[in-house]
């Protein structure tokens, strides 16, 4: 199987596999470490928290759902989001972080699982040719746009989360956090 999904089943598999691994990694991070700004952000020179990475994935997942809902209704879609251009993705990421900054780590993880579940349900409901039979946005199929904004960033963020976990040895983190 290619690393870039090119079918409905491959797309479902890519998202399910990515989110399962990522959630496992997230659940191994103590709550008290979830707001530490130590992960490379989307704007050069910035540091973000584990919670911010979850917010980022929720934000993109919700955009995918919004795009598909607007498409289904025959409405215009502002890509990537109303008020943002493709060259302003760092600012959009910061918007996602701010949008969810008051939420608890557990709430964010639940939201990510829920958003991902909605995306998987959406994909299941779409015929193969709607996902991969024609270009949907510029030269991209809908399936490719979904993948670029779900499983692809999940894989990238998982790399950052695993680095964070190595940096902050979990045994030390648990002892310095007290009880979660």
């Amino acid at each position: 199987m290619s690393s870039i999904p090119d079918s409905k089943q491959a797309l479902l598999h890519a998202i399910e596999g990515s989110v399962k691994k990522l959630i496992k990694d997230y659940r191994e991070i103590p709550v008290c470490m979830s707001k530490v700004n130590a992960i490379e952000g989307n704007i050069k020179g910035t540091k973000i928290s584990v919670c911010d990475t979850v917010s980022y994935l929720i934000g993109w997942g919700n955009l995918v759902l919004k795009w598909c809902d607007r498409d289904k209704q025959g409405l215009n879609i502002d890509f990537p989001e109303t008020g943002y251009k493709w060259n302003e993705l760092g600012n959009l990421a910061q918007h996602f972080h701010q949008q969810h900054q008051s939420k608890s780590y557990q709430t964010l993880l639940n939201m990510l699982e829920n958003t991902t579940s909605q995306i998987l349900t959406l994909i299941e409901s779409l015929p193969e040719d709607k996902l991969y039979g024609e270009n949907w946005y510029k030269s991209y199929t809908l399936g490719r746009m979904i993948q670029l904004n779900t499983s692809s960033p999940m894989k990238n963020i998982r790399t950052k989360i695993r680095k964070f976990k190595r940096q902050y040895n979990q045994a030390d983190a648990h002892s310095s956090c007290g009880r979660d």
Side-chain angles (χ1 to χ4, degrees), residues 26 29-37 39 48-58 96-98 100-109 157 161 164:
Y26 277 141
I29 295 171
V31 171
C32 66
M33 297 297 293
S34 67
K35 300 240 182 211
V36 173
N37 289 326
I39 298 169
I48 61 173
S49 70
V50 171
C51 284
D52 290 334
T53 67
V54 183
S55 296
Y56 177 82
L57 294 173
I58 293 165
F96 294 149
H97 304 161
Q98 291 164 357
H100 301 293
Q101 69 186 19
S102 65
K103 294 182 175 79
S104 74
Y105 187 40
Q106 186 57 52
T107 297
L108 290 170
L109 293 178
I157 284 180
I161 293 301
F164 175 84

Side-chain angles (χ1 to χ4, degrees), residues 21-22 25-26 28-29 33 36-41 46-50 53 154-170 173:
K21 291 174 187 172
L22 187 56
D25 286 330
Y26 277 141
E28 292 171 357
I29 295 171
M33 297 297 293
V36 173
N37 289 326
I39 298 169
E40 182 185 332
T46 62
K47 295 289 184 185
I48 61 173
S49 70
V50 171
T53 67
M154 286 175 187
K155 287 179 183 178
N156 292 339
I157 284 180
R158 183 167 185 245
T159 301
K160 293 180 179 187
I161 293 301
R162 293 173 68 80
K163 181 179 177 185
F164 175 84
K165 285 171 53 182
R166 283 191 303 275
Q167 256 180 317
Y168 294 89
N169 180 312
Q170 295 305 295

